[in-house]
Amino acid sequence: MKPILGVLAAAAVFAGLAVAPFYLGTYGIGLMIGMIGYVTLASAWALFSGPTRFVSLATVAFFGIGAYTVSVFYESFPPLMVLGLAALIGLAVALVVGLATLRLAGVYFVIFTFGLAELIRQLVTWYEVNITGTLGRYLFVSYGPEVVYWKLLVLCAVTLGIGYLIQRSRLGLALKMIGDDEVVAEHCGLPTARVKLALFALSSVIITLVGAIQAPRWTYIEPTIVFNPTISFLTLIMALLGGANRLWGPAVGAVPLFLLFEWLSANFPDHYSIILGLLFMAIVFVLPRGVLDFLEGLIARMRKQRAGEASGAGAGRGAGRLAEGEAK
Amino acid sequence: MTLITALIAGLVLGGTYALAAMGLTLQYGIARIMNLAYGDMIITAAFAAFVLQGAASINPIFGLLIAVPGGFLLGYAVYTVILAPLVARAPNRGVLEVDSILTTFGLLFVVQGILLVIFGSNYTSYTFLNEPVNVLGATIAANRLIALVLALGLGITLYLLLTRTRWGTALRAVAVSPQSAQLVGIDINRAAAFAFALGGGLAASAGVVISMYQTFTATGGVVFTMKALIVVIMGGVGNLVGALAAGLILGVVETLVATYADPGLTLAATYAIFLVVLLWRPQGLFGRAVR
């Protein structure tokens, strides 16, 4: 019964969010777009990086590809087709990048993805300056911000739904095994390279779509705007704060951090990056496995204590361990 | 620009890259910390040289005498305050790698933010010995030549220290095998702190050298981190001679691409080289398999 209740609760939350634009002003809708955007980005990032523990900094590469595709083709095709096209381009790049780099070990993968966004930004800039002769494009669409918001909300729900299905499937189990020990997973006959590639592609396509959906919000698109590396960093820190190996972890991290960053950039624009950096370090030091994990550990410990008082220490320890096991 | 001029300009750039990369290769090879704030330490030193030259009218060559020990102390402080607790906590190397990447990532933003608050986001430079000198028929600015000489001088000195002295041998032993180094009585935690601090000193020297002939901004650190990393991986992690050779190669390639193809494509060329090396020889062009 419990999973059904969870699904119903999630559906109720999304239904509530869907009617929100009718009650919010323009500023409110804008804020919600940013927030749902980051919840989706962080959740999509965690689809791949959470279980496999490959730290990817390529988020903004795909985000920017999505936004740029829309700015180039929005006049030629209907909006949904442009989104489809963006998804296809994102998929193609993800497959090329994935095939080339997923066999790289830890730090090499981080560094490569770190450079990828920069490389794509340079190439787009070079192409725009030398071939099309203009840097920056204007983007005027006929629909309002509510439409952007609803599209993002659907994408967000789909992303969380995919995450839920993966966690309950054999694929989820396979991923956990790869995260725990890749060599063992391979010896058990798992096609680790293929599993990783599929997940990386899926995560990248969702990130591309977030960029594509959000693109009309800017009206003016330039490589430095849509390939801004801060987007990768924020996504990473949000997923880490909440806990990248949980379904709701990235969302739990994204909402407070997004609001905090909005407030900081409005009130302390000069000291923004200092605070961001200190926060980043604090999260790694204090909550290396995320808020949800920390809370669950706390609850498990409290339960253990209570069980210990009720029926002796031995049984209590067993219950505590079981709860931790489930949490994993 | 003639080919000779381009080659010399490339060697100057490459010498600086090599100097920068040597510090990073010490930090990653011996202290086992992937320091993503490395480029920002370089930029900090460049600003320090700018301030010394402007406010105290100390020329950058003497500025090195202040900046390098400063970088050493800063590196030591960063290691003992921020990174040593992570090293102590990490159950294995993989966890330490991820933790150190994320922490130095945070540090990157802190350093960059402080520089932005103090100096703003404009391009900064000062003039130092900007006189033409004739070398093999090519004209080149004196400050660039000094930069090349300094880079090579510092690099070779470090190499001799590491290969000819007892403590150099100890440091290299830690790079090769931390466990065995411990068995023969080497304090690996002290060696790591020392190597990280030495890396800080080298970053500072690279920053001062760069400031002699280039403009720089508070946000420019990331590019230097990236390039130093590329050189480190090309040369083989922990390999000083490899870093020197790879740095020179990268500098020459970049200058040739900028001269004969398009200045807008230099970074693209850099990343292309990086990718090819990663896929073809992840252990580095000059290294044997380290892992």
Side-chain angles (χ1 to χ4, degrees):
Chain A
M1 279 315 277
K2 223 182 147 196
I4 299 175
L5 279 180
V7 171
L8 282 179
V13 169
F14 274 100
L17 285 171
V19 296
F22 298 116
Y23 301 98
L24 294 168
T26 326
Y27 175 75
I29 295 178
L31 200 67
M32 290 301 284
I33 288 176
M35 192 156 83
I36 300 292
Y38 270 113
V39 170
T40 317
L41 282 179
S43 302
W45 181 87
L47 275 185
F48 169 72
S49 296
T52 60
R53 296 188 190 161
F54 271 57
V55 178
S56 163
L57 289 171
T59 310
V60 78
F62 293 100
F63 182 89
I65 287 174
Y68 237 91
T69 309
V70 171
S71 75
V72 174
F73 293 109
Y74 80 104
E75 281 175 314
S76 329
F77 304 108
L80 283 180
M81 233 169 109
V82 178
L83 286 187
L85 190 63
L88 276 180
I89 296 178
L91 179 68
V93 176
L95 288 178
V96 171
V97 171
L99 279 174
T101 60
L102 284 182
R103 283 163 209 270
L104 292 176
V107 71
Y108 291 150
F109 182 76
V110 183
I111 306 310
F112 177 76
T113 52
F114 190 37
L116 181 69
E118 202 65 15
L119 171 64
I120 293 180
R121 183 170 71 95
Q122 292 275 325
L123 288 178
V124 170
T125 310
W126 181 82
Y127 183 86
E128 295 281 71
V129 169
N130 289 282
I131 312 289
T132 55
T134 51
L135 190 59
R137 289 164 178 272
Y138 287 93
L139 179 68
F140 298 108
V141 290
S142 49
Y143 49 85
E146 322 77 59
V147 178
V148 172
Y149 173 76
W150 282 320
K151 281 182 189 166
L152 263 184
L153 201 61
V154 170
L155 184 64
C156 183
V158 169
T159 308
L160 287 167
I162 291 173
Y164 178 71
L165 289 178
I166 287 179
Q167 276 199 344
R168 292 171 58 89
S169 68
R170 288 164 59 92
L171 182 62
L173 208 62
L175 278 168
K176 260 174 219 158
M177 214 167 158
I178 293 175
D180 285 341
D181 195 327
E182 201 167 334
V183 180
V184 173
E186 218 153 282
H187 279 285
C188 291
L190 277 177
T192 55
R194 248 187 295 160
V195 171
K196 281 190 293 180
L197 184 63
L199 251 284
F200 184 67
L202 178 66
S203 152
S204 305
V205 166
I206 296 172
I207 292 169
T208 312
L209 282 173
V210 176
I213 292 174
Q214 283 194 338
R217 292 286 298 156
W218 282 294
T219 60
Y220 176 72
I221 298 242
E222 207 189 71
T224 45
I225 301 175
V226 293
F227 289 103
N228 182 354
T230 313
I231 295 173
S232 298
F233 306 154
L234 290 185
T235 304
L236 173 68
I237 185 178
M238 285 167 177
L240 281 184
L241 174 65
N245 47 0
R246 302 298 163 83
L247 178 62
W248 290 98
V252 167
V255 173
L257 279 187
F258 174 76
L259 294 174
L260 178 69
F261 291 139
E262 276 296 302
W263 183 75
L264 284 176
S265 58
N267 292 291
F268 302 96
D270 294 338
H271 302 86
Y272 179 75
S273 74
I274 301 180
I275 302 170
L276 176 71
L278 289 175
L279 200 68
F280 213 115
M281 287 158 84
I283 288 174
V284 177
F285 267 84
V286 185
L287 300 166
R289 291 168 59 81
V291 172
L292 284 189
D293 203 275
F294 177 76
L295 286 180
E296 264 168 39
L298 209 66
I299 291 170
R301 248 175 290 148
M302 277 166 58
R303 257 196 215 145
K304 183 174 122 187
Q305 230 170 23
R306 217 171 291 159
E309 279 161 17
S311 62
R317 205 180 300 145
R321 197 173 291 163
L322 189 67
E324 272 167 34
E326 271 174 357
K328 272 195 173 177
Chain B
M1 220 195 265
T2 65
L3 184 62
I4 295 274
T5 320
L7 277 178
I8 293 177
L11 286 177
V12 171
L13 198 63
T16 322
Y17 290 162
L19 189 58
M22 276 189 239
L24 192 67
T25 208
L26 284 180
Q27 292 191 338
Y28 187 50
I30 298 171
R32 320 257 153 180
I33 301 288
M34 177 41 74
N35 181 7
L36 290 185
Y38 190 77
D40 299 271
M41 293 187 172
I42 294 178
I43 295 288
T44 308
F47 274 109
F50 166 73
V51 169
L52 286 174
Q53 160 92 5
S57 51
I58 297 173
N59 91 36
I61 295 179
F62 291 108
L64 275 173
L65 297 178
I66 299 169
V68 173
F72 185 90
L73 289 179
L74 189 68
Y76 194 82
V78 166
Y79 187 85
T80 40
V81 176
I82 302 173
L83 298 166
L86 291 180
V87 175
R89 166 180 106 180
N92 60 51
R93 200 174 162 192
V95 174
L96 176 62
E97 209 157 63
V98 173
D99 273 2
S100 67
I101 285 173
L102 295 174
T103 312
T104 53
F105 215 20
L107 190 63
L108 181 164
F109 281 103
V110 175
V111 176
Q112 199 180 79
I114 293 172
L115 290 178
L116 274 173
V117 169
I118 301 176
F119 298 102
S121 58
N122 292 330
Y123 278 87
T124 310
S125 67
Y126 58 86
T127 41
F128 167 68
L129 277 186
N130 198 8
E131 289 143 24
V133 178
N134 197 317
V135 185
L136 301 171
T139 333
I140 190 151
N143 53 19
R144 286 179 181 255
L145 272 186
I146 291 176
L148 178 60
V149 170
L150 280 174
L152 290 177
L154 284 165
I156 291 166
T157 312
L158 181 69
Y159 176 74
L160 291 177
L161 279 176
L162 280 179
T163 49
R164 299 282 191 275
T165 67
R166 201 178 153 78
W167 83 219
T169 312
L171 279 188
R172 286 186 298 131
V174 176
V176 175
S177 167
Q179 277 86 15
S180 323
Q182 225 163 356
L183 291 180
V184 294
I186 297 169
D187 183 344
I188 56 167
N189 287 325
R190 245 186 72 197
F194 191 75
F196 196 86
L198 208 56
L202 279 167
S205 66
V208 174
V209 168
I210 285 164
S211 74
M212 290 179 190
Y213 69 94
Q214 263 191 15
T215 57
F216 45 91
T217 60
T219 49
V222 174
V223 175
F224 284 111
T225 309
M226 228 17 244
K227 286 186 178 165
L229 271 173
I230 292 169
V231 173
V232 166
I233 290 170
M234 269 172 82
V237 172
N239 185 338
L240 283 178
V241 182
L244 188 62
L248 292 175
I249 292 175
L250 188 69
V252 170
V253 169
E254 270 194 13
T255 316
L256 290 181
V257 168
T259 316
Y260 294 105
D262 188 320
L265 286 179
T266 49
L267 266 183
T270 312
Y271 292 129
I273 295 174
F274 177 51
L275 187 56
V276 169
V277 171
L278 265 188
L279 297 176
W280 174 51
R281 276 183 78 90
Q283 74 273 36
L285 293 177
F286 306 93
R288 275 168 292 150
V290 241
R291 283 168 167 269

